[in-house]
């Protein structure tokens, strides 16, 4: 499934074109719903008008283990300023044999107090067929990707991206 995205120039990328590195891409993957760990629906509309980070990760991913505590720190600092973090776990799509309880415990151990949901194949495709973890999309209030990272990033780089998203 390819959910259309609108790019800043008004065009729509084709399947496989992805958004990797596509700063200025407006993320509007409508009709995609993930399920949070506590069973609540989570859609792209949930964070409309809210600066946020989409953090794609999986349980046991070494750079994710290093990234999660940094994101937890940023969440504590910037949540009061309206910045939200959504961790999209890829375990089910990657067929990693862990339970929801294991995933939640892993997230708690690594400081994840932010929103956690299961990545679906549809959302994976909508965000450029994410296949390297972690992948992070920082999105501003307009829904525009202002920073995009793949793999571990230092806290300073992540914090700068949060500040850009908040502008």
């Amino acid at each position: 499934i390819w959910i259309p995205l609108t790019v800043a120039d008004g065009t729509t990328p084709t399947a496989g074109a992805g958004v990797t590195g596509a700063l200025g891409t407006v993320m509007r993957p409508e009709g995609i719903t993930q399920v949070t760990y506590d069973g609540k629906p989570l859609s792209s509309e949930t964070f409309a008008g809210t600066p946020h980070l989409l953090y794609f990760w999986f349980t046991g991913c070494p750079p994710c283990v290093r990234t999660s505590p940094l994101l937890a720190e940023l969440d504590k600092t910037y949540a009061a300023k309206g910045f939200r973090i959504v961790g999209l776990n890829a375990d089910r799509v990657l067929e990693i044999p862990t339970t929801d309880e294991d995933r939640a415990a892993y997230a708690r151990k690594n400081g994840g107090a932010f929103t956690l949901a299961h990545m679906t194949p549809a959302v994976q495709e909508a965000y450029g067929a994410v296949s390297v973890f972690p992948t992070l999309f920082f999105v501003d209030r307009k829904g525009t990707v202002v920073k995009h990272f793949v793999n571990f990033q230092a806290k300073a780089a992540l914090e700068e991206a949060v500040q850009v998203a908040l502008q």
Side-chain angles (χ1 to χ4, degrees):
I1 297 173
W2 178 258
I3 307 299
L5 303 174
T6 304
V7 182
D9 66 5
T11 62
T12 301
T14 58
V19 294
T20 303
L23 297 181
T25 302
V26 177
M27 307 302 284
R28 290 200 178 98
E30 299 184 15
I32 296 178
T33 301
Q34 294 87 230
V35 178
T36 62
Y37 283 11
D38 57 1
K40 296 177 184 169
L42 179 72
S43 71
S44 55
E45 292 80 22
T46 304
F47 295 99
T50 303
H52 61 280
L53 163 63
L54 293 175
Y55 168 53
F56 293 83
W57 66 285
F58 69 88
T59 305
C61 157
C64 301
V65 171
R66 294 176 57 206
T67 300
S68 289
L70 299 178
L71 296 181
E73 289 177 31
L74 294 175
D75 187 51
K76 288 176 187 171
T77 302
Y78 292 100
K81 296 179 182 179
F83 187 79
R84 303 295 306 232
I85 298 175
V86 181
L88 298 173
N89 181 274
D91 288 358
R92 290 180 176 177
V93 172
L94 298 175
E95 299 179 359
I96 295 172
T98 54
T99 67
D100 284 348
E101 288 177 9
D102 293 339
R103 280 185 276 277
Y106 176 89
R108 279 191 306 274
K109 175 184 169 197
N110 289 295
F114 41 84
T115 302
L116 295 169
H118 298 285
M119 180 184 82
T120 63
V123 79
Q124 180 183 25
E125 286 299 316
Y127 287 90
V130 171
S131 61
V132 178
F133 301 90
T135 293
L136 304 96
F137 292 98
F138 290 83
V139 182
D140 69 9
R141 287 177 175 81
K142 297 175 193 170
T144 303
V145 175
V146 294
K147 291 282 183 177
H148 170 248
F149 298 120
V150 176
N151 211 331
F152 176 77
Q153 303 296 316
K155 183 178 177 184
L158 297 172
E159 191 159 26
E160 177 187 340
V162 170
Q163 291 170 357
V164 171
L166 283 167
Q167 292 178 354

